[in-house]
């Protein structure tokens, strides 16, 4: 028998996706970051510090909760459905999965001897996470945020300022996330010697998608270990919402080799993918280059980024991580979308059946999870990544559901 030769993995590409489409001036910084990451992975002291902070600062591991009333709802009066578990990232510090990534990158920044962090943010959730880690590590933090988003997400602007970050309103273009990204890139090119660009999802030029995934995959590792203990088996399906794709990649990655485990991503369908008013990049976009990598993009015939729409600001991103583009392309993961209306229904289901107010982002994944649980039947186990809590969305939901007097 001959031993098959395994080519060394190309960490910078996922099939034809990924890569580095950036100005020459940034290549050295990307190389430095990659080297720092690999040396940190091999450093036991770094790993120990990260575990310690994840646990005692961040609140990990997060619970895996069997949602019995949601499962019963999926089953219906005379039917039977899978057991639905919720991975409770809403209970982690800062209220979402985002601390996993910023904690890792914050410690890397320190390792590289840099003391200035810059970030872009749309809804403000990643900005808050970046400000949190900068405060914890005593670093300077600048967050670029579209002027329009600053207005819509005032509370998050205040949170960032409370923790000592400088929030810079961006007034160019549409004054939203894509303009903030451009501004952050400009800052990075200018100040690359002293500054780390803390990217907030599994997007951007190599090595970001790989590094961010390595820091968020703790989510799927915890799910895997806990289910093996409690159910004695792996799940039949894992489901997560997809904006840039970090919480989904965190959940999916440890299961990629287990081909019996379905990986299901749910994008923001807005008013419906056929209306053009959505943020469903894999379902309704095409191949292109955004944010320094080849992936799927919502773009027009000239390659210009198209405006996006979603009830949830955190999914309102016109691109998606290159590894998701690859999982989509190879068919290993399936991607579907949920409309604003379905997201609101999912939001209500979790509130009313489980006493959990979810963020609008994971609320998108609830109805698809319920439908899948029904289809898979009573012997199956489905895990839904509850990526964050919904306090930030309560005003928006109250307005849409007309629960407040105008
Ligand atoms: C930011 C955010 C998302 C979307 O980002 P991903 O990188 O796709 O995970 C999803 N859920 C919550 C709660 C968020 O804060």
């Amino acid at each position: 028998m001959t031993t098959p030769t395994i080519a060394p993995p190309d960490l910078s590409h996922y099939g034809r996706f990924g890569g580095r489409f950036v100005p020459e001036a940034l290549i050295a910084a990307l190389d430095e970051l990659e080297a720092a990451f690999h040396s940190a992975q091999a450093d036991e002291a770094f790993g120990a510090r990260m575990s310690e902070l994840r646990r005692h600062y961040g609140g990990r591991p997060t619970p895996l909760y069997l949602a019995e009333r949601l499962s019963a709802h999926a089953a219906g009066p005379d039917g039977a459905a899978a057991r639905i578990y919720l991975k409770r990232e809403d209970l982690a510090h800062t209220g979402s999965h985002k601390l996993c990534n910023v904690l890792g990158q914050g410690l890397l920044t320190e390792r590289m001897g840099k003391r200035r962090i810059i970030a872009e943010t749309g809804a403000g959730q990643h900005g808050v996470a970046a400000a949190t880690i900068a405060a914890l590590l005593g670093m300077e933090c600048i967050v670029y945020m579209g002027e329009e988003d600053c207005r819509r997400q005032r509370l998050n602007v205040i949170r960032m300022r409370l923790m000592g970050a400088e929030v810079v309103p961006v007034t160019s273009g549409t004054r939203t996330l894509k303009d903030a990204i451009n501004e952050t890139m400009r800052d990075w090119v200018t100040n690359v010697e002293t500054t780390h660009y803390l990217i907030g999802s599994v997007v951007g030029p190599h090595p970001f998608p790989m590094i961010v995934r390595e820091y968020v995959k703790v989510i799927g590792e915890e799910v895997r270990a806990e289910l093996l203990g409690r159910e004695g088996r792996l799940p039949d399906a894992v489901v997560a919402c997809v904006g840039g794709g970090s919480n989904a990649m965190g959940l999916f990655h440890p299961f990629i080799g287990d081909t019996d485990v379905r990986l299901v991503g749910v994008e923001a369908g807005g008013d419906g993918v056929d209306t053009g008013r959505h943020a469903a990049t894999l379902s309704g976009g095409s191949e292109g280059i955004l944010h320094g990598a080849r992936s799927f993009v919502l773009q027009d015939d000239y390659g210009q980024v198209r405006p996006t729409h979603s009830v949830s600001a955190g999914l309102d991103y016109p691109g998606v991580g290159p590894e998701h583009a690859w999982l989509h392309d190879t068919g290993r993961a399936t991607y579907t979308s949920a409309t604003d209306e379905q997201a609101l229904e999912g939001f209500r289901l979790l509130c009313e059946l489980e006493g959990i107010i979810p963020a609008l982002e994971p609320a998108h994944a609830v109805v698809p999870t319920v439908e899948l649980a029904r289809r898979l039947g009573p012997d199956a186990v489905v895990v839904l990544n509850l990526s964050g809590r919904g306090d930030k969305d309560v005003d928006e939901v109250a307005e849409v559901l007309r629960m407040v007097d105008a």
Side-chain angles (χ1 to χ4, degrees):
M1 241 174 69
T2 54
T3 321
T5 44
I6 300 169
D10 171 7
L11 299 175
S12 65
H13 285 81
Y14 309 89
R16 63 184 181 280
F17 304 104
R20 273 183 187 174
F21 297 83
V22 295
E24 194 67 35
L26 295 179
I27 297 294
L30 294 172
D31 284 341
E32 179 192 16
L33 176 63
E34 187 173 8
F37 170 76
H38 288 302
S39 91
Q41 290 295 91
D43 179 350
E44 263 175 46
F46 186 94
R49 178 134 182 262
M50 178 117 105
S51 305
E52 165 72 17
L53 285 170
R54 271 184 178 165
R55 183 153 173 219
H56 297 295
Y57 182 72
R60 304 207 73 88
T62 57
L64 184 67
Y65 161 69
L66 175 59
E68 292 193 24
R69 286 193 11 104
L70 185 68
S71 305
H73 168 83
D78 42 32
R83 289 187 295 292
I84 301 173
Y85 282 87
L86 304 177
K87 178 61 171 163
R88 299 289 311 273
E89 293 299 299
D90 59 316
L91 296 177
H93 181 42
T94 75
S96 80
H97 68 289
K98 284 197 165 70
L99 194 78
C100 304
N101 171 37
V102 295
L103 177 60
Q105 285 196 56
L107 294 177
L108 276 186
T109 308
E110 197 174 70
R111 193 177 179 87
M112 291 185 290
K114 295 181 174 181
R115 305 218 51 87
R116 181 174 182 268
I117 283 173
I118 58 173
E120 87 289 339
T121 195
Q125 294 299 103
H126 174 56
V128 168
T132 303
I133 220 64
L136 178 73
L137 301 177
M139 291 177 183
E140 187 186 352
C141 180
I142 319 283
V143 180
Y144 292 94
M145 188 168 181
E147 194 178 47
E148 180 59 22
D149 290 330
C150 289
R151 193 187 55 73
R152 285 192 292 207
Q153 303 287 339
R154 211 177 74 94
L155 191 61
N156 277 339
V157 173
I158 296 169
R159 284 197 179 110
M160 290 183 259
R161 290 186 173 145
L162 280 172
M163 292 184 282
E166 182 188 338
V167 180
V168 180
V170 175
T171 55
S172 55
T174 54
R175 303 168 188 220
T176 58
L177 180 60
K178 73 179 172 62
D179 312 292
I181 291 173
N182 294 340
E183 211 54 52
T184 317
M185 277 288 187
R186 261 195 285 277
D187 181 322
W188 204 31
V189 171
T190 313
N191 300 300
V192 66
E193 299 291 322
T194 59
T195 299
H196 177 60
Y197 180 5
L198 206 171
I199 287 189
S201 189
V202 285
V203 300
H206 176 71
F208 282 105
M210 180 265 292
I211 289 180
V212 177
R213 178 249 285 155
E214 288 301 301
Y215 290 146
V216 291
K217 75 178 189 192
V218 64
I219 298 170
E221 288 168 351
E222 288 172 6
V223 167
R224 195 189 167 92
E226 176 131 10
L227 263 190
L228 282 174
R230 277 164 72 176
E231 293 270 353
R233 49 173 292 199
L234 294 179
D236 296 274
V238 295
V239 189
C241 65
V242 177
S246 66
N247 87 88
M249 193 52 69
L251 179 64
F252 292 179
H253 198 266
F255 296 106
I256 287 179
D258 305 300
T259 45
D260 290 342
V261 180
R262 293 172 200 227
L263 313 177
V264 182
V266 183
E267 297 188 303
D271 292 341
V273 173
D274 48 0
T275 66
R277 280 177 50 77
H278 61 84
T281 312
L282 289 168
S283 317
S286 52
E287 286 187 45
I289 292 166
L290 181 72
H291 216 157
R294 171 175 288 279
S295 184
F296 274 68
V297 184
L298 290 172
Q299 57 191 339
D300 66 17
D301 292 345
Y302 301 100
Q304 292 300 304
V305 174
R306 257 180 19 212
T308 49
H309 165 78
S310 169
V311 66
S312 125
L315 299 182
D316 211 350
Y317 175 66
V320 66
E323 195 166 2
H324 282 292
W326 174 72
L327 290 173
H328 169 68
D329 204 48
T330 56
R332 177 61 190 95
T334 13
Y335 296 85
T336 169
S337 63
T339 60
D340 287 355
E341 207 176 317
Q342 289 168 322
L344 288 164
E345 187 188 336
F347 186 94
R348 291 180 81 149
L349 282 175
L350 280 190
C351 289
E352 291 167 15
L353 294 175
E354 297 291 348
I356 295 171
I357 301 179
L360 275 170
E361 292 86 1
H364 281 74
V366 174
V367 169
T369 298
V370 164
E371 286 167 359
L372 184 62
R374 201 170 286 157
R375 263 205 326 277
L376 293 178
D379 297 328
V381 170
V382 177
V383 178
L384 163 62
N385 201 15
L386 190 53
S387 56
R389 65 168 187 244
D391 311 43
K392 69 186 178 62
D393 296 320
V394 163
D395 279 346
E396 169 94 19
V397 171
E399 204 168 297
V400 180
L401 298 180
R402 299 201 167 73
M403 296 174 84
V404 279
D405 302 324

